[in-house]
Amino acid sequence: MNERTLWRIAAIAGVAVVALAVAFGMIAGLKACAPPQGLDPIIAFELARSPAQALALLTGPVCVGAQHGALWLDALGFIPAYAIFYGAGAAAAGGRFAKVAVAATVAAALFDQVEGVELFRILADPASAAPYALLVPAVRAKFALLGLVALLIGGRLVQRRGWEALPGALIALSGGVTIVSVADDARAAIMMKAITLGLLALLARAAIRAFRRAS
């Protein structure tokens, strides 16, 4: 598969990622949840480390139902979309670490699916401590791997001449911030902003490369 085709796949998948991210915000009932300041309810739920934290977020049946719907949207739509987006982007960017970036993307998506299974278990029994044995490391591994993917893609694009260095730098910066923030829940809001920045920079770069006229 040639580079332009890979960038087209990445661009289309990236648009799907953005559309699905908007769809999360439209899920009825999420506003009934009570996340910490600066975090949306879905991310706050993912980052819960104990039944006490989960119970503080799951404020009633409306919130629980909304989180349930968000998990299905995540598993069936968002995770596959971002896996294709980052995987195709990494393959299109190329370089000696392209295969590492693709493998890290697949691993992140798998950890994300494990995370979803454990979150479903928590929704079924919020007082149970059992799901956290897998949930806590799976969530942090997912974000660390996505940070690594961004760092590798961005680092590759920075090496290219001209305008491509700018989105490459933004993508690499987002990856670095994600990696250094993942172990500290107090930095979660900053981490999510960094991930969003890198995603949008990669999407813009993919769209330009995919659909501009060949010179």
Side-chain angles (χ1 to χ4, degrees):
M1 194 175 296
N2 64 46
E3 181 180 331
R4 185 162 184 168
T5 299
L6 287 167
W7 281 125
R8 285 181 174 176
I9 292 171
I12 292 168
V15 171
V17 169
V18 172
L20 288 163
V22 172
F24 279 120
M26 299 173 66
I27 295 175
L30 276 179
K31 292 182 179 179
C33 302
Q37 187 175 5
L39 284 179
D40 70 55
I42 297 170
I43 299 301
F45 185 36
E46 290 181 9
L47 293 173
R49 291 179 177 268
S50 67
Q53 289 184 354
L55 286 167
L57 296 168
L58 302 174
T59 54
V62 173
C63 172
V64 171
Q67 291 284 9
H68 199 275
L71 285 176
W72 279 115
L73 181 61
D74 194 38
L76 300 179
F78 191 73
I79 296 173
Y82 82 63
I84 295 170
F85 172 62
Y86 285 115
R96 61 188 297 187
F97 296 113
K99 291 182 179 179
V100 174
V102 172
T105 299
V106 173
L110 291 174
F111 276 118
D112 210 346
Q113 294 289 8
V114 171
E115 167 196 310
V117 171
E118 299 310 305
L119 290 173
F120 273 122
R121 292 178 64 196
I122 292 172
L123 290 178
D125 183 8
S128 173
Y132 297 92
L134 283 178
L135 174 65
V136 173
V139 172
R140 277 75 188 175
K142 172 192 72 175
F143 284 125
L145 286 165
L146 290 177
L148 174 62
V149 172
L151 196 60
L152 292 175
I153 294 174
R156 171 61 176 169
L157 296 180
V158 166
Q159 297 172 13
R160 298 191 176 188
R161 295 180 179 179
W163 66 271
E164 292 179 280
L166 176 58
L170 293 175
I171 296 163
L173 175 63
S174 77
V177 172
T178 300
I179 290 170
V180 301
S181 301
V182 72
D184 185 356
D185 291 351
R187 297 180 181 177
I190 295 173
M191 180 178 72
M192 296 313 301
K193 287 181 173 63
I195 290 172
T196 300
L197 172 65
L199 188 153
L200 293 176
L202 181 57
L203 175 55
R205 196 256 178 238
I208 292 170
R209 270 297 184 186
F211 299 110
R212 75 174 184 176
R213 292 181 180 180
S215 56

